Amino acid sequence: MAGWALLALATSAGCTLFGDDGVRESQRPSNGWQVEFAETAQSDGSIEFLVAPVGGGSTTVSVPVGVNQTDNEIAALARGAFETALGDAYMVRKDHDATIHVSKATRQQPDLALTVVRITAQNVRLDLDRE
């Protein structure tokens, strides 16, 4: 039952969940990820991500979200949260729109899996794609 609740939460959040072969996209490590935020928050809350480098320990990245923050503002907060949590091992950049990119800083860094754990801010949606 809990699995269905997580699937419903992720689907309602607008996340890309599965690849063409039915395997969860976020469980496949990649050298980079694109996170595109959408909508304005209708409540305070947060977005929690789990970053898991291949062969390394996982890191939780929590992005605080305030009521009425726009997708562009949330993306800026997410960029800062990822930079703080990941340090120099990974690069984080924000486009002019509400999109951030998380990628390896050097070829020597391991690929990473990125998963959305939970979104508690109402109306906040995102699309998570491997690059």
Side-chain angles (χ1 to χ4, degrees):
M1 184 72 162
W4 285 106
L6 179 58
L7 178 62
L9 173 65
T11 302
S12 68
C15 299
T16 302
L17 290 177
F18 297 97
D20 293 337
D21 59 0
V23 177
R24 290 180 62 95
E25 286 286 333
S26 61
Q27 292 178 347
R28 293 185 183 150
S30 179
N31 64 346
W33 290 88
Q34 175 180 297
V35 184
E36 183 178 352
F37 297 88
E39 305 299 332
T40 298
Q42 292 181 349
S43 71
D44 291 336
S46 65
I47 306 168
E48 273 188 44
F49 296 90
L50 186 65
V51 179
V54 173
S58 297
T59 301
T60 300
V61 178
S62 183
V63 180
V65 176
V67 66
N68 295 325
Q69 283 186 318
T70 66
D71 52 359
N72 203 24
E73 292 170 325
I74 296 167
L77 290 169
R79 183 192 71 209
F82 274 92
E83 287 175 338
T84 299
L86 300 178
D88 295 335
Y90 297 92
M91 294 186 323
V92 184
R93 67 179 174 82
K94 181 183 172 302
D95 286 347
H96 63 278
D97 59 4
T99 302
I100 65 167
H101 302 268
V102 180
S103 59
K104 301 185 328 182
T106 66
R107 290 183 185 201
Q108 291 75 30
Q109 294 299 343
D111 285 355
L112 65 149
L114 181 60
T115 306
V116 178
V117 176
R118 85 177 46 93
I119 301 174
T120 62
Q122 291 181 2
N123 202 48
V124 173
R125 295 181 334 181
L126 60 90
D127 187 29
L128 180 63
D129 293 308
R130 297 170 77 234
E131 293 189 328

